Amino acid sequence: MAITIRQVGPCFAGEVDGIDMRKPMTPDDVAAIHAGMDRYAVLVFRNQDITDAQQLAFTESLGKIEHAIGTSLRAAKDYRLPTTFADVSNLDKNDAPFAREDRRRLFAIGNRLWHSDSSFKVVPAKYSLLHAVAIPTKGGNTQFADMRAAYDALDEETKAEVQDLVCEHSQMYSRGLVGFSDFTDEERERFKPVRQCMVRTHPVTGRKSLYLSSHAGRIVGWPIAEAQIFLRDLIEHATQREFVYTHKWQLGDLVMWDNRQTMHRARPFPADQRRDMRRTTLAGDGPTAVQVEAQAA
Ligand SMILES: [Fe+2]
């Protein structure tokens, strides 16, 4: 069956028909998916009744995966999933929801801020693939913002201003925005900032996009307050309704997005309900900026 993609978002996001992730992908399938990602940046695959192994195999058919090691407050001995998956659930290793005050839950609440996955890593993520295994009875949507459209809508003066800016990204900056700052020395070392450019150019389409994330807390060479306000203004600009697609999850959905061209955020849901979302991630091609002094902040 040939792949078809129809647009579902206001300005981007495509829903894909003709893919069954329980089966191996053909080279034509892989090419069509990459072409779809280049065009839409977010692709929705409904009714994918797949195992973790099938999700991993599908992901690996598209490229090299990024492992999730040391990026949350879960201790390695308490991982619910292997490191080939980012555990984006609210569940402990016994599949029970975290208590409301649980530090791991409160840290993960930072994912409700607009962000790009792994922008806090020297080599940030390319695609994320999120599979819905259990969803709450209400809430828990994921929203996506098209950072290409956001860039295009900047005035020329702002485009020139952002062109060569470099930001410092850390999970400590994003968590700081929600009042979470009691990091241990070990966590401060693990979450130390990395540098990312603010404008990215897509390697295939040549389109520019704003590379923003709530993990960005500094702009190199700028006073902190001015940088934080500018970043806040840019995120506000980039997440206007016309640039946003809201995904309402159904069981079995797999949504894939390009972190180079989009931001996303999770929306709230009842704390006592299970939201089991499993993410595989494709690694990026390399750093976006030289890492000089990035470790000093
Ligand atoms: Fe995320």
Side-chain angles (χ1 to χ4, degrees):
M1 182 177 174
I3 295 178
T4 57
I5 304 176
R6 65 184 175 85
Q7 186 167 317
V8 290
C11 59
F12 71 123
E15 188 165 318
V16 182
D17 280 320
I19 289 287
D20 180 347
M21 294 179 194
R22 294 171 301 186
K23 298 173 181 165
M25 295 298 113
T26 67
D28 283 351
D29 292 336
V30 170
I33 290 168
H34 282 302
M37 288 296 284
D38 291 344
R39 176 171 175 186
Y40 294 98
V42 176
L43 292 179
V44 176
F45 304 79
R46 301 279 190 189
N47 302 312
Q48 299 296 328
D49 181 17
I50 51 172
T51 63
D52 287 354
Q54 287 165 335
Q55 180 177 345
L56 188 58
F58 174 72
T59 307
E60 288 180 323
S61 73
L62 300 175
K64 182 168 146 284
I65 68 159
E66 174 189 288
H67 284 256
I69 299 172
T71 54
S72 73
L73 298 192
R74 293 172 190 266
K77 66 179 174 52
D78 292 330
Y79 283 169
R80 195 175 66 102
L81 302 173
T83 60
T84 43
F85 282 79
D87 193 346
V88 193
S89 76
N90 63 332
L91 305 173
D92 64 22
K93 68 176 177 181
N94 299 314
D95 272 344
F98 290 133
R100 191 169 183 191
E101 298 291 335
D102 192 298
R103 202 165 168 266
R104 294 167 295 184
R105 171 177 181 270
L106 298 178
F107 182 83
I109 275 181
N111 289 323
R112 298 183 193 177
L113 297 167
W114 287 105
H115 67 282
S116 175
D117 287 336
S118 301
S119 76
F120 49 82
K121 292 185 178 180
V122 171
V123 178
K126 184 180 180 185
Y127 299 167
S128 292
L129 298 86
L130 195 58
H131 186 230
V133 176
I135 55 178
T137 55
K138 62 177 180 179
N141 295 340
T142 302
Q143 293 184 303
F144 298 90
D146 187 340
M147 304 305 285
R148 305 163 300 180
Y151 176 85
D152 290 345
L154 293 173
D155 60 44
E156 293 306 314
E157 189 180 342
T158 309
K159 282 180 183 170
E161 184 167 33
V162 298
Q163 180 58 43
D164 296 319
L165 293 182
V166 174
C167 298
E168 293 188 353
H169 293 233
S170 166
Q171 293 198 94
M172 290 189 291
Y173 294 145
S174 50
R175 274 54 192 176
L177 294 173
V178 290
F180 188 108
S181 57
D182 64 332
F183 295 102
T184 65
D185 288 345
E186 180 275 324
E187 288 162 354
R188 288 181 189 283
E189 178 63 19
R190 187 149 52 90
F191 298 143
K192 61 190 178 187
V194 304
R195 287 187 171 187
Q196 306 290 358
C197 64
M198 192 186 273
V199 177
R200 300 187 73 167
T201 302
H202 191 280
V204 176
T205 66
R207 287 191 75 180
K208 287 184 177 178
S209 54
L210 272 176
Y211 190 43
L212 298 174
S213 185
S214 294
H215 304 311
R218 304 283 185 272
I219 298 173
V220 175
W222 284 41
I224 291 173
E226 192 177 8
Q228 292 201 343
I229 288 294
F230 189 52
L231 288 164
R232 183 178 289 208
D233 282 348
L234 287 173
I235 287 180
E236 192 174 310
H237 160 79
T239 55
Q240 297 174 73
R241 182 173 301 201
E242 64 197 282
F243 305 140
V244 172
Y245 163 66
T246 299
H247 186 71
K248 297 180 174 66
W249 290 95
Q250 299 172 10
L251 279 181
D253 284 355
L254 185 140
V255 179
M256 175 162 53
W257 62 90
D258 186 340
N259 289 292
R260 304 168 304 179
Q261 307 191 85
T262 59
M263 281 198 299
H264 61 281
R265 65 173 178 176
R267 304 303 292 143
F269 60 96
D272 59 348
Q273 294 192 18
R274 298 175 70 252
R275 183 175 187 263
D276 190 349
M277 312 295 281
R278 302 184 182 196
R279 194 187 92 203
T280 41
T281 312
L282 281 185
D285 293 333
T288 71
V290 177
Q291 296 301 309
V292 181
E293 297 174 27
Q295 316 300 338

